[in-house]
Amino acid sequence: MPTVDLVADLGEGFGAYSIGDDKALLDIVSSANIACGFHAGDPDIMNATVAECVRKGVGIGAHPSFPDLRGFGRRAMDLTADEVRNDVVYQLGALTAFAAFHGGSVSHIAPHGRLGNLVATRADYAGAVADAAVRVDPRLIVLAQDGELATAAADRGLPVAIVGIADRAYQQDGTLVPRSQPGAVIHDPAVIVERTVRMVTEGLITTASGQDIAIQADTVLLHGDNPGAVELARLIRSELVNAGVTIAPLAQVLAAKQKVS
């Protein structure tokens, strides 16, 4: 039976403000994408989140973004590829320091927000992120959907983990339906759970047009910043385990995958 990672975006508060229930999610996930201060997070939040990840054995991942704190990293910025690379190095360096301080290490990198969207289609941005990762730590796992970033990372010898998103509608080519279109986000918990289990156990997902396509999911992204998110994440984990799926951090998932191949 398959092994899969469960990941959520954590540490996305700022100062006295918080988003999502990180404490509850850390009992559910096996990996965390941690905000590095550019779209959310600050030194105190990064420190506390990393400390809890180390304590609970949750994989630590960098979640770098455009320097867009006010817009939560969701707005496009006209940056050069060099600027993107340097911003990623800066954020990755900060999280790496906190991980080392607590006796852990950063295992993966997953670009956030608008940067995360653009690296799937812009080869220059994808190369910038991959260059930053490989020069800082060639063992870093790159979380990506199929696209330019996955290609750039593989070309540089970086391990790649494909992320599946069960509460988003897919198009026939395997890309996500844009949020601007109706039905892009799925809200029915029963449908989300069924799609997740099928994605992991059968390697299939039903597209917005009603046809099945093959999908690879080394990790499943769980959202934690909307009402009922923690309960849904807990249910997804429970149903995966009931289906015989092993939940493990990314490094273990890729190791198991390599062993099978």
Side-chain angles (χ1 to χ4, degrees):
M1 294 301 293
T3 301
V4 75
D5 174 57
L6 297 180
V7 66
D9 301 340
L10 302 180
E12 291 188 316
F14 187 78
Y17 300 93
S18 60
I19 295 179
D21 189 345
D22 285 9
K23 183 177 180 181
L25 284 169
L26 279 167
D27 288 328
I28 300 169
V29 300
S30 46
S31 294
N33 299 328
I34 301 176
C36 300
F38 271 32
H39 76 279
D42 58 43
D44 293 331
I45 291 174
M46 291 172 70
N47 176 72
T49 307
V50 167
E52 279 299 291
C53 285
V54 171
R55 189 173 73 85
K56 295 187 175 184
V58 172
I60 298 168
H63 203 33
S65 77
F66 284 137
D68 178 29
L69 190 60
R70 187 173 182 180
F72 201 68
R74 289 177 174 164
R75 300 180 292 189
M77 301 184 74
D78 189 20
L79 302 185
T80 67
D82 283 349
E83 288 173 320
V84 169
R85 182 199 64 223
N86 293 339
D87 284 350
V88 171
V89 170
Y90 185 96
Q91 294 171 84
L92 182 56
L95 191 69
T96 297
F98 279 112
F101 180 81
H102 288 287
S105 61
V106 176
S107 64
H108 72 270
I109 183 170
H112 163 84
R114 187 58 179 158
L115 177 61
N117 297 145
L118 290 174
V119 293
T121 57
R122 283 190 57 164
D124 58 340
Y125 280 7
V129 172
D131 284 340
V134 75
R135 293 290 293 274
V136 172
D137 184 352
R139 299 167 299 176
L140 275 177
I141 301 167
V142 176
L143 260 65
Q145 292 177 271
D146 286 326
E148 294 290 346
L149 179 57
T151 299
D155 286 347
R156 289 158 175 78
L158 289 161
V160 177
I162 302 299
V163 59
I165 309 176
D167 65 353
R168 290 292 306 277
Y170 280 75
Q171 302 185 104
Q172 202 63 31
D173 63 357
T175 61
L176 298 178
V177 173
R179 284 182 179 270
S180 58
Q181 296 184 17
V185 181
I186 299 166
H187 300 286
D188 187 333
V191 173
I192 295 171
V193 171
E194 186 273 334
R195 285 166 66 87
T196 303
V197 173
R198 190 164 184 246
M199 177 192 300
V200 174
T201 61
E202 299 179 37
L204 296 171
I205 197 164
T206 303
T207 66
S209 63
Q211 296 177 293
D212 286 346
I213 59 171
I215 183 172
Q216 177 183 333
D218 300 309
T219 183
V220 175
L221 178 62
L222 304 177
H223 292 119
D225 56 355
N226 52 336
V230 172
E231 290 75 12
L232 177 58
R234 191 173 287 119
L235 180 60
I236 287 172
R237 180 180 179 115
S238 174
E239 290 303 308
L240 284 171
V241 171
N242 289 341
V245 177
T246 299
I247 309 298
L250 268 176
Q252 294 181 37
V253 171
L254 295 189
K257 182 178 173 182
Q258 186 176 27
K259 185 177 180 180
V260 170
S261 63

